[in-house]
Every structure is written in structure tokens, then in C-alpha cells.
Amino acid sequence: MDKVSSLINKNVGDIYLKEPLSKHSSWRIGGPADLLIEPYTTEQILEIVRYADLMKIPTVVIGNGTNLLFSDEGFRGIIIKMGKNFSKYTIKGNRACAEAGIWTPKFAKILSDNGLSGLEHAIGIPGTLGGLVFMNGGSGGKCIGDIVKKIWVIDKNYNLISFSKSECDFSYRKSVFQDSNYIICKIELECEAGEKENIKFEMRNILDNRKNKFPLNYPNCGSVFLSNPVVNDTFAPPGKLIEEAGLKGYQVGGAQISEKHANFIVNLGNATAKDVISIVQYALKIVYQRYGLYLESEIKYVGEMGDLKSLDEVGIIE
């Protein structure tokens, strides 16, 4: 805490001490972070990162916390949240440029209002645009990488550099940013002109389908396990495999494999990270025993000291 206290009086954005990470997780799980900062500018992000590196303070950059599970003990360092403060955008012709913190459904609606098509598939994904790019997220067989034109990031030398689409190395739920320390700051998309009403009609259908299919009445992080098209063709989607293994409704503490969709783990009200990890490990074991298949997770676990692991790689926490 002593190390982070020097940042409190600096102009680096909105600062929160001992901030419960459960407030910044779609699962509503997580202990307190020593410091959480919501910057407004790239310059503020640079100042935070330089200071954290100089003082050797663990730092994690988050968006809406949709694909993250935070430790029950919280985080002993600085959380940089790219959210509403960092969400400016511009639109010129078919090109749309936005900062990483813009909420994806909001931006999808903005594009539709401007007669731009390409982001409809993400209308129901409750995360930031930066997080979507990091994961190459999407739905209905589409990914954000399909329409990316350019990405601006902060590199390890504190320079703002750009990546073209081909340099992002997009593949199914993968990008070059997952295996690096780059901080995604701004995204340029190349959209297609379309009829506003047709675009909005498609988005309404997507939202209706998500409402009927997914357990949106409980806190969750979306799909826990990767629905890899190759695996799906050989076996079945993860939710189907987990359901056929008889695990729908399986519960540990306040966490439960959803009775509505088995690839969702929901927080029934008082779930802990330990509860979720116990369920994930049990599901991994049962599915492997039944099918000889080891499922991968698209969720990252953020440990107390900032270590990030895929949820399928995290052992049972005693």
C-alpha cells in the first residue's frame, strides 16, 4: 500500500482505494484491490504504468471484467480499468475509431445509428471493445477481428505503436495481445454501409435469442469453456458435453453450473472464486473421463499478486 500511495495525488484519473473487485466483475466475485484507477487519457495510462514499473508494483489492465475471475483475496497492486472514462469515438465514412473502454453494446448501437454494419454480432456481449479485441470475441461464428483495420497499443518501452489487422494474428478467441504486455488503447474498425432498420432488426433478434438461451438473471461471465469449431465438429459444444455428463445444476457453495445453459457458471448470490474453481476442475475431470477431451477455458483467473492463468490451469484452492 505504501508504494501505491504516491499515485493518489497525481492526475492519473479517478482513484479508488481498497476497491472491491466484485464491483468490477460480471461474476460479482473478488476481494479488494489496493488501488483501482480509471484513466481518461493515454498519457495518464503511461504515467501509471511507468510508475508501477519503477516501483515494481503488480499491475493488471481490465475492461468490464467479463472474462475475468478475481481472487477472493483481491489484488495487491494497481488495477487500471479502461471504462467509461476512456471511451471516446469518431466516425468517418465506413471507418469507426474508438478508445478501448467503450462498452461494446453501446458502440454497436452507435454504428447501427450511423448505418454501419459489422458489429451486430456483439450487441449482447457485455464487455469493452478493448476486451473484445484482446479475446477476438464475438458470437454466431463472427469475431471482432473480421472488421479490425488498426489497433493502437502501449508497448513495453512506453511507446504508442500501431498494429495492422494482419499483425494482430487473430484466430478463434486468440490475438497477439494475449501473449504480450501490450495495452490496447484505441481500435479502428472498417465497417460496411447498411440499412439502419435491417441492422437494428438483426440486433434485436440476437438479443432475444440470448435472452431465451442464456441465464442472464444471475451474475455470470458468459461461456466458461471455449467452443472451438474443430472440437464441436468432432465431439459437441462444451455446454452439450457438460450437460450430457449430467452436470447441469451442479453446485459448490454459491456457484452453480446453470440449469439453463451448461457452459455458464452462475453466481447464485454469495459465490467465491474458490467455488467457481472447484466447479471448473470437477467439470474438466468428468468431461475428460467421459470423452477423453480436455476442455479449455476462455476465462482468466487473476491471482492476488497479478498472476494470470486460464481458468482450466488453476488448481483447487485450499
Side-chain angles (χ1 to χ4, degrees):
M1 176 59 87
D2 290 340
K3 287 184 177 181
V4 302
S5 60
S6 297
L7 273 176
I8 295 174
N9 295 321
K10 291 181 180 289
N11 179 25
V12 290
D14 296 335
I15 295 176
Y16 304 89
L17 293 170
K18 293 295 182 185
E19 178 72 358
L21 290 173
S22 57
K23 293 170 60 176
H24 303 273
S25 159
S26 62
W27 245 326
R28 297 294 179 259
I29 292 172
D34 287 351
L35 201 64
L36 184 143
I37 306 176
E38 296 190 51
Y40 288 85
T41 67
T42 302
E43 290 72 25
Q44 289 177 335
I45 298 168
L46 281 166
E47 185 167 2
I48 297 165
V49 173
R50 283 197 186 99
Y51 181 84
D53 288 350
L54 177 67
M55 301 301 291
K56 301 188 185 309
I57 303 170
T59 305
V60 172
V61 179
I62 70 170
N64 212 40
T66 311
N67 271 52
L68 298 175
L69 177 65
F70 294 112
S71 163
D72 294 320
E73 286 70 37
F75 181 58
R76 305 287 72 80
I78 301 169
I79 296 286
I80 302 174
K81 180 170 182 175
M82 313 280 258
K84 62 183 185 301
N85 292 354
F86 198 71
S87 60
K88 296 181 288 295
Y89 68 91
T90 58
I91 295 174
K92 293 182 180 179
N94 289 359
R95 300 276 178 88
C97 204
E99 291 178 328
I102 196 167
W103 195 46
T104 297
K106 175 183 177 180
F107 197 45
K109 186 177 184 304
I110 289 168
L111 295 182
S112 72
D113 289 340
N114 284 271
L116 293 178
S117 176
L119 199 57
E120 296 92 317
H121 65 93
I123 184 64
I125 298 176
T128 60
L129 191 63
L132 195 70
V133 168
F134 181 88
M135 290 299 301
N136 192 24
S139 68
K142 297 180 181 180
C143 300
I144 185 64
D146 298 339
I147 61 170
V148 162
K149 179 68 176 177
K150 198 173 184 179
I151 308 288
W152 287 264
V153 305
I154 294 172
D155 69 10
K156 63 181 180 180
N157 297 315
Y158 317 115
N159 295 316
L160 188 66
I161 64 173
S162 64
F163 280 74
S164 66
K165 178 177 180 176
S166 61
E167 292 172 323
C168 294
D169 199 19
F170 288 123
S171 59
Y172 185 77
R173 298 298 178 263
K174 298 287 184 181
S175 76
V176 70
F177 310 112
Q178 294 175 22
D179 299 314
S180 71
N181 291 320
Y182 296 125
I183 298 176
I184 298 171
C185 292
K186 190 167 65 172
I187 301 101
E188 183 180 30
L189 304 179
E190 188 167 29
C191 305
E192 294 183 1
E195 292 293 331
K196 292 182 186 181
E197 288 308 312
N198 292 341
I199 297 170
K200 291 179 184 294
F201 179 77
E202 182 178 349
M203 291 196 301
R204 284 194 295 271
N205 284 342
I206 290 170
L207 289 174
D208 287 344
N209 183 56
R210 290 179 68 87
K211 185 177 179 180
N212 293 329
K213 187 177 180 181
F214 301 138
L216 305 181
N217 53 328
Y218 289 107
N220 66 81
C221 72
S223 297
V224 173
F225 297 105
L226 280 168
S227 186
N228 189 309
V230 176
V231 174
N232 292 357
D233 291 343
T234 306
F235 295 90
K240 184 69 172 174
L241 297 177
I242 295 167
E243 180 178 353
E244 289 179 348
L247 297 181
K248 259 190 173 181
Y250 178 76
Q251 184 173 340
V252 175
Q256 180 191 60
I257 294 178
S258 169
E259 295 178 334
K260 192 170 187 178
H261 194 298
N263 200 14
F264 281 60
I265 294 176
V266 297
N267 181 354
L268 298 177
N270 60 345
T272 64
K274 183 178 178 182
D275 295 339
V276 172
I277 291 167
S278 296
I279 288 179
V280 167
Q281 290 298 318
Y282 185 69
L284 287 170
K285 181 179 77 172
I286 296 301
V287 168
Y288 183 78
Q289 289 175 347
R290 186 179 178 107
Y291 300 101
L293 173 67
Y294 192 79
L295 295 174
E296 294 181 76
S297 178
E298 55 185 283
I299 310 303
K300 300 293 184 183
Y301 174 73
V302 183
E304 186 179 10
M305 300 308 297
D307 47 311
L308 268 69
K309 294 181 179 179
S310 291
L311 204 47
D312 55 276
E313 299 173 342
V314 180
I316 298 294
I317 297 175
E318 299 298 340

